[in-house]
Amino acid sequence: MTGQPAQRKLILYMSMSLDGFAARRDRTMDWLGDAQAYGAHRQRAVAELLGQTGLLVLGARAGAEMAQAWPSSQSPTGELMNATPKVVFSSTLGAVEWSNARVTDRPVEEEVPELKRESGKDIVVFGGASFARSLAAHGLIDEYRINVQPVVLGDGLPLLHGLPEPLPLKLVGSTAWADGPITQTYVPR
């Protein structure tokens, strides 16, 4: 059988408010609450996703913030976050102090397709609204897992605002969590 070898998927896993914002205007996400307070089922789902992840890709801001937060975590999720290889996309950061992390200043449209062609488990994006927009604008996201939080912010940084053209998606899964959020899983049509 001929054809192209299977590529690993790029999965966007992010939270947004009911009105579509990924963060407040000042980039704070205090409305998400404490990740440790997540319901047990949702914590297991995140740990399961991390267990199936071969690489994390992050924008500069998310990469710098997570490099501050995760290295000292001894939680099961923290251990997975710290052990997983990471690529932080930034033209301003020289490096991040985080195990298994490297910084690249290459454009996402050049580097991400190369990363997807490498063998291994899927790639996950956890943060950065502008980084997510850039990946979506270049058609690089294979699966969108959006956690819709039960809060209306009224204003903030929209998750996927300003794409150059409509992005038709197909709903392939939905999970309502006991602690309030709903995870919607979409793939491009």
Side-chain angles (χ1 to χ4, degrees):
M1 194 166 159
T2 62
Q4 299 211 2
Q7 292 194 105
R8 50 189 185 168
K9 291 188 301 188
L10 179 67
I11 301 167
L12 175 69
Y13 187 90
M14 287 185 66
S15 291
M16 73 176 191
S17 64
L18 186 60
D19 51 349
F21 298 109
R24 294 185 187 275
R25 283 265 169 231
D26 65 1
R27 300 190 181 279
T28 60
M29 298 172 66
D30 57 338
W31 50 275
L32 278 177
D34 180 6
Q36 300 303 319
Y38 284 0
H41 294 291
R42 194 154 51 119
Q43 283 184 13
R44 275 197 303 276
V46 170
E48 182 179 307
L49 175 62
L50 283 169
Q52 299 167 354
T53 299
L55 179 68
L56 298 175
V57 292
L58 305 157
R61 185 178 310 270
E65 289 174 1
M66 289 186 182
Q68 293 286 319
W70 286 110
S72 62
S73 174
Q74 306 219 338
S75 71
T77 300
E79 289 177 7
L80 287 167
M81 289 290 286
N82 293 324
T84 303
K86 295 159 275 291
V87 176
V88 178
F89 285 80
S90 176
S91 59
T92 57
L93 293 174
V96 290
E97 302 264 339
W98 193 8
S99 62
N100 302 309
R102 71 174 175 89
V103 175
T104 182
D105 63 356
R106 291 184 62 206
V108 295
E109 66 273 20
E110 291 176 11
E111 179 125 0
V112 170
E114 291 177 11
L115 295 171
K116 288 170 74 171
R117 284 191 295 270
E118 292 176 358
S119 63
K121 297 177 184 178
D122 289 334
I123 304 167
V124 174
V125 179
F126 274 118
S130 61
F131 184 59
R133 247 188 325 273
S134 177
L135 293 167
H138 290 290
L140 297 170
I141 300 172
D142 301 299
E143 182 175 300
Y144 294 78
R145 292 188 195 180
I146 307 299
N147 295 300
V148 181
Q149 302 292 326
V151 61
V152 175
L153 296 178
D155 190 26
L157 298 175
L159 180 54
L160 293 170
H161 177 76
L163 294 178
E165 56 189 50
L167 177 63
L169 301 171
K170 176 183 175 187
L171 180 68
V172 295
S174 182
T175 304
W177 302 103
D179 59 327
I182 297 174
T183 301
Q184 307 272 8
T185 302
Y186 297 93
V187 296
R189 286 192 184 269

